[in-house]
Amino acid sequence: MEMLIYKTPDYSAMSLKAADILSAQIILNPGSVLGMATGSTPEGLYRHLAERYRAGTLDFSGITTINLDEYIGLPPDHPQSYHYFMRTNLLDHVNVPAENTHVPDGLEPDEARECSRYEAVIQAAGGVDLQLLGMGLNGHIGFNEPGDCFPLDTHSVTLTDSTIQANKRFFEREADVPRRAYTMGIGTIMRARSILVVVSGEAKAQAVRDAFFGPVTPRVPASILQLHPNVTLVADSAALSAVDGIVHTF
Ligand code: F6R
């Protein structure tokens, strides 16, 4: 495995390092197709990217963004939709052309049709150059939850109870958390030419250990990343606390 691991003292240094890696990608290839993630972990790094755009050091005019996932049933202006998250956290603050930003359409009721449309969007963009990933407490990536096999292409899923519990913090009531979502599959993610994983906090220390230092198994979806030739992990020392001493970090 060729995984490069950056260990940072805390969340804010993790965000800065990840923003540096994304900035390097944008500067070296201003026509990059970036796979985007939502959630708490990338918020800090998106803030840095927006600041760098404002400061004139980053230009997103040639960039395409393709998000990992979206809840089924939430309209794009719903504050908990991933469309809304991407606009408020990044896209409203930088100059990615609107027509080059893609998130699965949570309002498309024909699930098979939306999944094949989304795979076609990725293909038409020429594939993903750099895929940003957060990781769930159970090792999920996108909404690819632990299971008996690795789901390959973009598909629709029923969320597990653990993910509903983790995500309910963003909703008024647990009953408001959507039960289904669209997500890129493991195959979709593995086709990205490079992958940047960001992880923060003690709560994910075991997941980091299982995903990157345990067996490759669909029980820990992120473990498949061990088979990808170009993965960078940026994690704070709390998230790396269960692998202290057994890994080489920068
Ligand atoms: C988000 C996504 C999820 C999150 C994961 C971690 O688009 O696909 O897999 O990356 O649930 O979420 P946070 O960062 O909130 O801990």
Coordinates of all heavy atoms in Angstrom, one line a residue, residues 36-42 67-69 82 133-136 140-143 167 169-170 204, ligand 1:
M36 N -16.4 15.6 -4.0 CA -16.6 16.3 -2.8 C -17.4 15.5 -1.7 O -18.2 14.7 -2.1 CB -17.4 17.6 -3.0 CG -16.6 18.5 -4.0 SD -14.9 18.8 -3.4 CE -14.7 20.5 -3.6
A37 N -17.1 15.8 -0.5 CA -17.8 15.2 0.6 C -18.5 16.3 1.5 O -18.1 17.4 1.5 CB -16.8 14.4 1.5
T38 N -19.5 15.9 2.2 CA -20.2 16.8 3.2 C -19.8 16.3 4.6 O -18.9 15.5 4.7 CB -21.7 16.8 2.9 OG1 -22.2 15.5 3.1 CG2 -22.0 17.3 1.5
G39 N -20.5 16.8 5.6 CA -20.3 16.3 6.9 C -19.5 17.4 7.7 O -19.0 18.4 7.1
S40 N -19.2 17.1 9.0 CA -18.5 18.1 9.8 C -17.0 18.2 9.5 O -16.4 19.2 9.6 CB -18.6 17.7 11.3 OG -19.9 17.5 11.7
T41 N -16.4 17.0 9.1 CA -15.0 17.0 9.0 C -14.5 18.0 7.9 O -13.5 18.7 8.2 CB -14.5 15.6 8.7 OG1 -15.2 14.7 9.6 CG2 -13.0 15.4 9.0
P42 N -15.1 18.1 6.7 CA -14.5 19.0 5.7 C -14.8 20.5 5.9 O -14.3 21.3 5.1 CB -15.0 18.5 4.4 CG -16.1 17.5 4.7 CD -16.1 17.3 6.1
N67 N -20.3 15.6 -6.1 CA -20.5 15.1 -4.7 C -20.7 13.6 -4.6 O -21.3 13.0 -5.5 CB -21.6 15.9 -4.0 CG -21.0 17.1 -3.2 OD1 -20.6 18.1 -3.9 ND2 -20.9 17.0 -1.9
L68 N -20.4 13.1 -3.4 CA -20.5 11.7 -3.1 C -22.0 11.2 -3.0 O -22.3 10.1 -3.5 CB -19.9 11.4 -1.8 CG -18.4 11.1 -1.6 CD1 -18.1 11.1 -0.1 CD2 -18.1 9.8 -2.3
D69 N -22.8 12.1 -2.4 CA -24.1 11.5 -2.0 C -25.1 12.6 -1.7 O -24.8 13.8 -1.6 CB -23.9 10.6 -0.7 CG -23.0 11.2 0.4 OD1 -22.6 12.4 0.3 OD2 -22.6 10.4 1.3
Y82 N -27.6 17.9 1.0 CA -26.1 18.1 0.7 C -25.9 19.1 -0.4 O -24.9 19.8 -0.5 CB -25.5 16.7 0.4 CG -25.4 15.8 1.6 CD1 -25.1 14.5 1.4 CD2 -25.7 16.2 2.9 CE1 -25.0 13.6 2.5 CE2 -25.6 15.4 4.0 CZ -25.2 14.1 3.8 OH -25.1 13.2 4.9
L133 N -12.8 12.4 1.0 CA -13.7 11.5 1.7 C -13.6 11.8 3.2 O -12.4 11.9 3.7 CB -13.2 10.0 1.6 CG -13.4 9.3 0.2 CD1 -12.8 7.9 0.3 CD2 -14.8 9.3 -0.2
G134 N -14.7 11.8 3.9 CA -14.7 11.7 5.3 C -15.0 10.2 5.6 O -15.2 9.4 4.7
M135 N -15.0 9.8 6.9 CA -15.3 8.4 7.2 C -16.2 8.4 8.4 O -16.0 9.1 9.4 CB -13.9 7.7 7.5 CG -14.1 6.2 7.7 SD -12.6 5.3 7.9 CE -12.0 5.9 9.4
G136 N -17.2 7.5 8.3 CA -18.1 7.3 9.5 C -17.5 6.5 10.6 O -16.4 5.9 10.4
H140 N -17.9 3.7 7.3 CA -18.5 4.0 6.0 C -17.9 5.1 5.2 O -17.3 6.0 5.8 CB -20.1 4.2 6.2 CG -20.5 5.5 6.7 ND1 -21.5 5.6 7.6 CD2 -20.0 6.8 6.5 CE1 -21.7 6.9 8.0 NE2 -20.8 7.6 7.3
I141 N -18.0 5.0 3.9 CA -17.5 6.1 3.0 C -18.7 6.4 2.1 O -19.3 5.5 1.6 CB -16.2 5.8 2.3 CG1 -16.2 4.4 1.7 CG2 -15.0 6.0 3.2 CD1 -14.9 4.1 0.9
G142 N -18.9 7.7 1.8 CA -20.2 8.0 1.2 C -21.3 7.4 2.1 O -21.1 7.5 3.4
F143 N -22.3 6.9 1.5 CA -23.3 6.1 2.3 C -23.1 4.6 2.1 O -24.1 3.9 2.2 CB -24.7 6.6 2.0 CG -25.2 7.8 2.8 CD1 -25.6 8.9 2.1 CD2 -25.3 7.8 4.2 CE1 -26.0 10.1 2.8 CE2 -25.7 8.9 4.9 CZ -26.1 10.0 4.2
N167 N -26.4 11.2 12.4 CA -26.8 12.4 11.6 C -28.0 13.1 12.2 O -28.3 14.2 11.8 CB -27.2 11.9 10.2 CG -25.9 11.5 9.4 OD1 -24.9 11.4 10.0 ND2 -26.1 11.2 8.1
R169 N -28.2 14.7 14.8 CA -27.8 16.0 15.4 C -28.1 17.2 14.6 O -28.3 18.3 15.1 CB -26.3 15.9 15.8 CG -25.3 15.9 14.7 CD -23.9 15.6 15.2 NE -22.8 15.9 14.3 CZ -22.4 15.0 13.4 NH1 -23.0 13.9 13.2 NH2 -21.4 15.3 12.6
F170 N -28.2 16.9 13.3 CA -28.5 18.1 12.3 C -30.0 18.3 12.1 O -30.4 19.3 11.5 CB -27.9 17.8 11.0 CG -26.4 17.6 11.1 CD1 -25.8 16.4 10.8 CD2 -25.6 18.6 11.4 CE1 -24.4 16.2 10.9 CE2 -24.2 18.5 11.5 CZ -23.6 17.2 11.2
K204 N -13.1 8.3 16.3 CA -12.9 7.6 15.0 C -11.6 6.8 15.0 O -11.2 6.2 14.0 CB -12.9 8.5 13.8 CG -14.3 9.0 13.6 CD -14.4 9.8 12.3 CE -15.9 10.3 12.1 NZ -16.0 11.4 11.2
Ligands
F6R1 C1 -20.6 12.8 3.5 C2 -20.4 11.4 3.6 C3 -20.1 10.7 4.9 C4 -19.3 11.4 5.9 C5 -19.1 10.6 7.1 C6 -18.3 11.4 8.2 O1 -20.8 13.2 2.2 O2 -20.4 10.8 2.6 O3 -19.6 9.4 4.6 O4 -18.0 11.7 5.3 O5 -20.3 10.2 7.7 O6 -19.1 12.5 8.6 P1 -18.5 13.6 9.6 O7 -17.4 14.3 8.9 O8 -19.7 14.5 9.9 O9 -18.0 12.9 10.8

